[in-house]
Amino acid sequence: MPARPAEPCAPSLQRAAPLRTVPCSGARRLQRAGSQPGCSRCAPGARLHLGQPDAAGHSGQRPAAPGGPPRAQRGSGGPGPGAQTRSSAGPRYPPARTGSRSAAPRAPPCAPRAPWTPRTRRAAPARPAVPGSALTGGGPGYPPRRRPSMSKSREMRILWFLLLFLCEARSQAVSRPNFILLVADDLGIGDPGCYGNKTLRTPGMDRLAQEGVKLTQHLAASPLCTPSRAAFMTGRYPVRSGMASTAGVGVFIFSACSGGLPTSEVTFAKLLKNQGYSTALIGKWHLGNNCHNKADFCHHPMSHGFGYFYGLLGTNMRDCKPGDGTVFIRGIRVLAFTPLKVITITLLTLVALKRLGLLRVPPAVFFCLLFLAALILGLLLAFLHYFRPLNCFLIRNHEITQQPMSFDNLTQRLTRDAARFIRRNVDTPFLLVLSYLHVHTALYSSEEFAGKSKHGIYGDAVEEMDWSIGQILNVLDELRLTNNTLVYFTSDHGAHVEEVNSKGEVHGGSNGIYKGGKANNWEGGIRIPGIFRWPGVLQAGLEIDEPTSNMDVFPTVVKLAGSPLPEDRVIDGRDLMPLLQGRSRRSDHEFLFHYCNMFLNAVRWHPHNKMCYREDKASTLLSSISAHFGLWSTRILQSAFSNSLHLR
């Protein structure tokens, strides 16, 4: 068969030089590297012969850059493993083949091409060839592989790093704020101006409400101090932790009592301390002190997560203030006055019978009766004299600083100590619980506030406490901690509207339109103020009319601090942040149980069935069961709800 004429892509072939052919894809690769644009000279299956110039003066190999070595030598870096393979065929082309495939069908001729002009570029320095490395040359006839632009990649990495740093800093600021929890004692919901009081001046509380979120159905877990504070600290009903009494007195009165918040209970202070927070409690504790002796401090605040304590371990009472009466009138009548009356009547009767000669009475009988009367009277006087120094004292950590405590400028001293704690922890996340002694009796106020309110000594105490709240807010503004601090204000229960002193003066507060007060589960005894302020996170001036509890503070604070909730116990509180931020319109509480000591008095039902109840109003079932139907019905209802409550 006659030989076909030479193809345009390889017009002249020299027999002396070995020929290497590549498929058409290789020709296109050369075209991109610098040959004539738009050349599609090779038909399918055609091959381009390398090493010889074509009709247009182009050869299969690309010329070297000006001033540099030939392309076939660049990138090899001298002899080395694999150098012979690269110099012969290169990594991009298969070995040359011979045979009948060299005589492929003729391809259409190429269009005329302009002479090739090399680009003016800086010659790349020679690099040693590293076998198997991605930084080696591209083989004979090709330049070394170019590195990516380090400046651009470095800028991108720096930019991503800054973005991640800013996001992390913002998330830390949002998820780990400072916490200041302000707790009043016996303050009624009708006392603050932001809850409708028109005569008491409370600019501090009003400022919190204007700059934060106000809860209008905020409820205490108990109408008494000790169980309500235990629920506040642990997020659990007081019956779960054993802080509910079976007797009539449901609070701790004596600092030497052996009861208190069990060490097995987990407070939010303990969890936040584990997260690196500085924790402090300033003011009233009222959850016990010792277990077995005066030095074990098993119920002390520092045993429950607070790293610093300054205040009163027990509670403020009339007996702590000289001349203000006593809270033990009923007990004194039963244990002292009644026996003294009986002894007096017995002595007079025996004397009359002996004088009349109707009965012979040995002198020892008179001596015993007189001794018994003197003993009772002496014990009574000793109790009244020593109760104040033994129970009304201020303590810093484990050291007593003032015994008995003085009410002179007491609120100012507590406020200054709280301000010092905040200043010490400007660069550290902190938890401060400022538990006021106001407005529990005995009522007191400094000279600056005495006689200034329209509600007597009670109003003076409320306004002095409000001044203290304003001072704490001013310290946050001064230290620029306002936007990173969650401030919460509440009371432990409703006002004691039945508080009357020995002179007949009413020393209780106002519960607004609600019936009842402290020590009962009517609405006035359990509905309390509740205000949250966190600028930039919580909407200012928002009011929420959904049932919430002071137990909800526990999961809210713990989650914001980044700590997981305990999994070995039931937490009755609910996280309030979805409700406070507007992400949820309904409270997570379907039932709220209201105990007086160990006995269930009332149940609040907030149904989630929106088909049967209005969405904007919470339907509540609040009934005073014990007062109307007796204790047996209370126990029946408690048994009926035990499955939902999961009492332990």
Side-chain angles (χ1 to χ4, degrees):
M1 185 175 182
R4 296 181 181 180
E7 299 177 6
C9 290
S12 60
L13 302 176
Q14 296 181 1
R15 298 293 182 181
L19 300 179
R20 293 186 289 116
T21 60
V22 296
C24 187
S25 60
R28 290 194 180 94
R29 199 176 296 123
L30 290 177
Q31 173 187 338
R32 289 195 299 270
S35 60
Q36 178 183 355
C39 178
S40 56
R41 58 189 178 277
C42 298
R47 293 182 177 272
L48 177 66
H49 299 269
L50 303 179
Q52 299 295 333
D54 58 5
H58 294 278
S59 62
Q61 293 183 345
R62 296 179 61 184
R71 293 283 179 172
Q73 299 177 3
R74 189 179 303 174
S76 61
Q84 182 177 0
T85 304
R86 289 193 299 271
S87 62
S88 61
R92 295 179 179 265
Y93 304 126
R97 298 181 180 177
T98 59
S100 61
R101 301 181 68 89
S102 61
R106 178 177 299 178
C110 297
R113 294 181 296 179
W116 177 81
T117 302
R119 295 181 181 179
T120 303
R121 71 170 76 179
R122 183 178 179 182
R127 292 176 297 174
V130 180
S133 173
L135 299 179
T136 58
Y142 290 93
R145 299 177 184 176
R146 298 178 59 186
R147 295 173 179 264
S149 177
M150 296 301 295
S151 60
K152 291 185 178 181
S153 61
R154 186 175 301 172
E155 290 176 358
M156 290 299 296
R157 286 197 298 267
I158 294 175
L159 180 60
W160 278 109
F161 175 77
L162 292 176
L163 290 176
L164 291 176
F165 176 79
L166 292 176
C167 293
E168 180 68 15
R170 180 175 178 83
S171 64
Q172 289 289 335
V174 172
S175 61
R176 288 175 58 86
N178 305 314
F179 299 97
I180 295 182
L181 311 180
L182 308 172
V183 183
D185 197 1
D186 290 10
L187 182 72
I189 194 173
D191 290 328
C194 54
Y195 280 92
N197 195 299
K198 302 300 182 182
T199 54
L200 284 176
R201 295 169 297 182
T202 57
M205 304 178 199
D206 299 344
R207 177 186 171 186
L208 283 177
Q210 292 170 1
E211 299 176 358
V213 179
K214 182 176 72 173
L215 305 176
T216 59
Q217 287 197 55
H218 201 45
L219 305 165
S222 175
L224 295 173
C225 296
T226 296
S228 176
R229 292 171 182 268
F232 169 71
M233 290 286 178
T234 62
R236 292 154 52 86
Y237 287 108
V239 293
R240 297 190 189 276
S241 59
M243 299 300 290
S245 173
T246 58
V249 180
V251 298
F252 295 119
I253 297 178
F254 304 100
S255 60
C257 62
S258 61
L261 187 64
T263 56
S264 59
E265 288 297 318
V266 179
T267 64
F268 53 72
K270 188 177 296 184
L271 295 177
L272 264 64
K273 188 176 183 180
N274 295 336
Q275 294 294 318
Y277 275 74
S278 296
T279 57
L281 172 66
I282 297 176
K284 175 180 174 179
W285 171 239
H286 209 189
L287 291 175
N289 184 19
N290 302 317
C291 289
H292 305 289
N293 55 69
K294 63 179 182 180
D296 58 9
F297 299 107
C298 66
H299 301 308
H300 193 275
M302 300 184 72
S303 299
H304 285 285
F306 290 100
Y308 176 78
F309 172 71
Y310 176 64
L312 186 65
L313 287 174
T315 183
N316 179 26
M317 291 184 290
R318 294 187 180 277
D319 301 78
C320 296
K321 186 178 180 181
D324 213 47
T326 178
V327 298
F328 300 103
I329 292 295
R330 184 178 301 177
I332 291 174
R333 288 175 180 175
V334 174
L335 299 177
F337 289 169
T338 300
L340 286 176
K341 290 179 181 179
V342 172
I343 292 174
T344 302
I345 294 174
T346 302
L347 282 173
L348 294 176
T349 302
L350 292 177
V351 169
L353 291 176
K354 185 176 181 180
R355 288 293 182 90
L356 294 175
L358 299 177
L359 182 65
R360 294 183 58 184
V361 181
V365 174
F366 292 100
F367 176 78
C368 291
L369 291 176
L370 290 174
F371 177 78
L372 183 59
L375 179 62
I376 294 175
L377 186 60
L379 291 175
L380 174 61
L381 295 177
F383 173 79
L384 296 177
H385 178 74
Y386 288 105
F387 177 86
R388 180 169 175 249
L390 292 179
N391 295 274
C392 306
F393 54 86
L394 294 178
I395 183 172
R396 177 174 278 109
N397 295 336
H398 294 146
E399 299 294 332
I400 295 177
T401 59
Q402 190 178 44
Q403 187 180 20
M405 71 176 181
S406 172
F407 288 95
D408 295 337
N409 298 321
L410 178 57
T411 302
Q412 284 78 356
R413 284 181 279 159
L414 297 177
T415 304
R416 286 195 298 267
D417 204 63
R420 284 194 294 267
F421 173 80
I422 297 175
R423 296 180 190 276
R424 289 196 304 266
N425 295 277
V426 173
D427 300 325
T428 306
F430 63 84
L431 164 70
L432 171 63
V433 179
L434 182 52
S435 180
Y436 291 101
L437 276 65
H438 286 313
V439 283
H440 195 291
T441 53
L443 297 174
Y444 67 95
S445 60
S446 61
E447 294 182 359
E448 184 180 354
F449 296 92
K452 300 297 179 62
S453 75
K454 298 180 180 180
H455 287 272
I457 189 174
Y458 181 88
D460 298 341
V462 173
E463 293 185 358
E464 185 175 41
M465 178 178 63
D466 183 83
W467 167 86
S468 175
I469 295 174
Q471 293 298 307
I472 298 299
L473 299 182
N474 292 339
V475 171
L476 294 178
D477 294 338
E478 176 188 347
L479 301 176
R480 298 181 180 180
L481 296 176
T482 301
N483 293 337
N484 193 35
T485 303
L486 174 64
V487 180
Y488 167 69
F489 173 74
T490 189
S491 178
D492 54 356
H493 48 69
H496 197 179
V497 294
E498 301 174 355
E499 181 74 11
V500 180
N501 67 353
S502 58
K503 300 178 182 179
E505 300 174 351
V506 178
H507 283 182
S510 170
N511 292 316
I513 63 174
Y514 303 108
K515 178 181 179 180
K518 177 181 178 180
N520 64 68
N521 273 314
W522 292 110
E523 198 74 2
I526 55 179
R527 187 171 290 218
I528 55 178
I531 305 174
F532 287 87
R533 190 196 76 162
W534 189 1
V537 178
L538 303 182
Q539 180 182 346
L542 182 64
E543 288 190 12
I544 296 178
D545 189 28
E546 287 289 308
T548 57
S549 172
N550 61 349
M551 297 183 295
D552 299 335
V553 176
F554 178 90
T556 303
V557 168
V558 168
K559 288 186 177 181
L560 287 175
S563 174
L565 293 176
E567 298 180 355
D568 60 340
R569 64 199 65 212
V570 176
I571 301 299
D572 299 301
R574 300 291 183 267
D575 184 12
L576 289 178
M577 288 306 294
L579 190 64
L580 297 176
Q581 292 182 310
R583 291 183 280 124
S584 175
R585 294 187 177 182
R586 294 181 61 84
S587 170
D588 289 340
H589 291 286
E590 182 177 4
F591 291 99
L592 283 171
F593 299 88
H594 301 289
Y595 288 84
C596 187
N597 293 333
M598 285 289 295
F599 306 109
L600 181 64
N601 286 173
V603 179
R604 185 179 301 267
W605 181 29
H606 183 53
H608 294 293
N609 189 350
K610 300 180 182 180
M611 299 298 294
C612 301
Y613 299 90
R614 292 171 58 91
E615 181 179 359
D616 58 341
K617 289 293 183 181
S619 300
T620 60
L621 179 63
L622 184 63
S623 59
S624 181
I625 303 167
S626 298
H628 296 284
F629 301 104
L631 181 59
W632 64 271
S633 59
T634 304
R635 292 178 176 174
I636 291 175
L637 185 58
Q638 183 176 10
S639 176
F641 285 105
S642 60
N643 292 333
S644 300
L645 192 59
H646 299 291
L647 292 177
R648 289 185 175 180

